[in-house]
Amino acid sequence: MKTILVTGGCGFIGSNFVRWQLATYPDVSVINVDKLTYAGNLENLADLEGNPRYQFAKGDICDREFIDRTLALRPIDAVINFAAESHVDRSILDSGPFIQTNIVGTQVLLDACRKANIPRYVQVSTDEVYGSLGSDGFFTEETPLAPNSPYSASKTAADLLVRAYFHTFHFPVITTRCSNNYGPYQFPEKLIPLFISNLLNDQQVPVYGAGTNVRDWIHVIDHCRGIDAALRRGTPGEVYNFGGHSELQNIELTKKLLDALKKPHSLIKYVTDRAGHDFRYAIDTSKAERELGWRPQVTFEEGLTDTIEWYLGHRDWVDRIKSGAYRDYYQTQYGQRLS
Ligand code: NAD
Ligand code: TDX
């Protein structure tokens, strides 16, 4: 594996993956294709500027000419597709960009990669394609696909295209499906960074419904290790699930954040529930453990402590994001202006 092309490398997981990949493998070079949407931030990889093993190409995965040109830059051993519209609440406000990037973008990328004979393609998908669990059980790779939000429906459509390209064209694809990530550089619209950044400004935190919905939290670096294991040791045509074995109700997590930041529980604000809110996600990771030799290494306690430290040390990064169109989004989503 000498040259890897990632898409969406200026987002949360992609930027962590690019930095980790370059630090872990001294012989690997990375080309990063990113459209720089509201969620894409060049600052996330500013430390790699001037690194001869890193190249950035601004562009859209839906733009076939641009993708063809970028794939022809030099021989590429693998493509990893992180690029997506990734926030469930935004997909409820407007699903258009989700259909375009997550479905059409994946189809354009698959066609271009197939034509260029790319030897390996990894689709970064999500546990949300399986729908919602009740209070027990786990998602396995055999769980039927049953997406409930426009976001998860668009990710599922992409997964089915990926599956079809393997079946029809024998194109060497691998699909990964992971639970909720947390860690540095996560855009402050997702629960953990949103709540940390609000609390740092003594602002209320909006908990949907009764706060009893459950998510399985995984540190972003454990997810990156999983994607890398699938890339290097996975079998084409297969799906691998990743999760952190750290299930928490949203309200339990919210109280942990308040306590860690020494803020009063009176800052909790219960707000109208998310439409179609999936109740619980939890992952059976035995296939990835057995076939890839992967398991999560970061405990939730240490990962959350490090993440809070990171946000405390990067208040400028958060403030710059929150100063722009973010304020309009917050007003639309939460009916409240950020002070
Ligand atoms: P993110 O929103 O932080 O980043 C997405 C990146 O993709 C941004 O840099 C954005 O500019 C780029 N992008 C968007 N549309 C593009 C386009 N048309 N062309 C090129 N680039 C484009 O997302 P994230 O949280 O880092 O998620 C990355 C991937 O992982 C997504 O595919 C998501 O579905 C998946 N995933 C996320 C989680 C999670 O908890 N965040 C869990 C499982 C899977
Ligand atoms: O303000 C909020 N209040 C709240 O109670 C927000 C933003 C979220 N929540 C709840 C909804 C969920 O039950 O917290 C939980 C986590 O929400 P998000 O951080 O928005 O994540 P989720 O919807 O679970 O989806 C995430 O995990 C799977 C990622 O955003 C997806 O990209 C990934 O595929």
Side-chain angles (χ1 to χ4, degrees):
M1 206 63 65
K2 289 273 179 247
T3 302
I4 298 173
L5 184 143
V6 307
T7 68
C10 293
F12 163 48
I13 303 172
S15 63
N16 277 285
F17 182 86
V18 170
R19 183 178 294 100
W20 180 89
Q21 188 68 217
L22 291 174
T24 306
Y25 299 103
D27 54 339
V28 165
S29 295
V30 174
I31 301 171
N32 171 18
V33 164
D34 198 301
K35 182 182 174 182
L36 298 179
T37 67
Y38 79 92
N41 188 345
L42 283 174
E43 268 190 64
N44 294 1
L45 289 175
D47 53 315
L48 296 182
E49 268 170 39
N51 184 325
R53 293 191 289 126
Y54 174 68
Q55 184 177 350
F56 174 63
K58 182 176 187 297
D60 189 333
I61 59 166
C62 302
D63 178 347
R64 177 65 189 264
E65 278 182 16
F66 162 74
I67 295 295
D68 281 345
R69 241 184 299 124
T70 310
L71 289 175
L73 283 174
R74 56 196 145 111
I76 289 170
D77 300 300
V79 168
I80 308 179
N81 185 23
F82 291 93
E85 288 294 333
S86 69
H87 192 39
V88 173
D89 291 326
R90 290 189 192 249
S91 81
I92 296 168
L93 292 171
D94 178 11
S95 62
F98 290 73
I99 305 308
Q100 193 57 28
T101 286
N102 299 1
I103 307 178
V104 177
T106 298
Q107 177 259 323
V108 168
L109 204 55
L110 284 167
D111 272 343
C113 289
R114 196 167 78 82
K115 188 181 138 233
N117 288 317
I118 299 296
R120 191 155 277 222
Y121 175 100
V122 178
Q123 177 74 3
V124 180
S125 186
T126 168
D127 61 353
E128 297 197 20
V129 298
Y130 298 122
S132 180
L133 291 166
S135 43
D136 53 20
F138 297 90
F139 294 136
T140 74
E141 290 79 359
E142 308 305 319
T143 302
L145 302 177
N148 291 317
S149 71
Y151 162 71
S152 55
S154 68
K155 292 294 288 186
T156 307
D159 284 15
L160 292 177
L161 282 169
V162 168
R163 180 183 184 279
Y165 275 62
F166 178 74
H167 191 81
T168 308
F169 305 116
H170 310 294
F171 182 60
V173 299
I174 289 171
T175 301
T176 64
R177 295 184 181 139
C178 190
S179 64
N180 288 59
N181 285 220
Y182 69 96
Y185 299 101
Q186 188 167 29
F187 194 88
E189 64 188 352
K190 310 282 166 45
L191 186 143
I192 289 183
L194 173 70
F195 283 16
I196 293 173
S197 64
N198 276 15
L199 292 174
L200 289 178
N201 294 320
D202 293 309
Q203 290 189 326
Q204 291 179 317
V205 288
V207 173
Y208 294 157
T212 50
N213 298 61
V214 175
R215 295 293 182 266
D216 171 13
W217 295 95
I218 181 172
H219 192 272
V220 63
I221 293 299
D222 276 332
H223 185 194
C224 292
R225 287 193 191 103
I227 293 167
D228 186 64
L231 169 73
R232 289 163 192 273
R233 300 192 287 283
T235 304
E238 292 293 313
V239 174
Y240 300 95
N241 287 351
F242 302 115
H245 307 305
S246 298
E247 282 186 57
L248 281 174
Q249 288 191 342
N250 292 335
I251 190 62
E252 294 172 323
L253 171 56
T254 303
K255 288 178 180 168
K256 276 184 194 289
L257 292 170
L258 285 156
D259 294 344
L261 289 162
K262 298 190 171 44
K263 300 290 179 184
H265 287 205
S266 55
L267 284 176
I268 296 171
K269 184 179 184 202
Y270 291 96
V271 299
T272 309
D273 207 355
R274 172 184 283 174
H277 197 172
D278 284 339
F279 176 65
R280 174 171 167 261
Y281 306 142
I283 306 283
D284 178 339
T285 58
S286 50
K287 181 176 177 184
E289 291 179 27
R290 199 173 54 244
E291 296 187 14
L292 303 177
W294 172 93
R295 59 178 46 75
Q297 295 174 22
V298 183
T299 66
F300 189 68
E301 276 59 39
E302 55 175 306
L304 192 65
T305 304
D306 289 354
T307 302
I308 291 171
E309 283 297 317
W310 190 87
Y311 280 91
L312 278 167
H314 290 77
R315 293 183 77 153
D316 290 356
W317 181 90
V318 177
D319 289 347
R320 277 193 286 277
I321 288 171
K322 284 190 148 184
S323 65
Y326 181 89
R327 302 177 75 80
D328 299 331
Y329 165 73
Y330 200 91
Q331 165 90 51
T332 307
Q333 177 62 23
Y334 298 103
Q336 204 183 329
R337 272 217 97 56
L338 277 174
S339 54

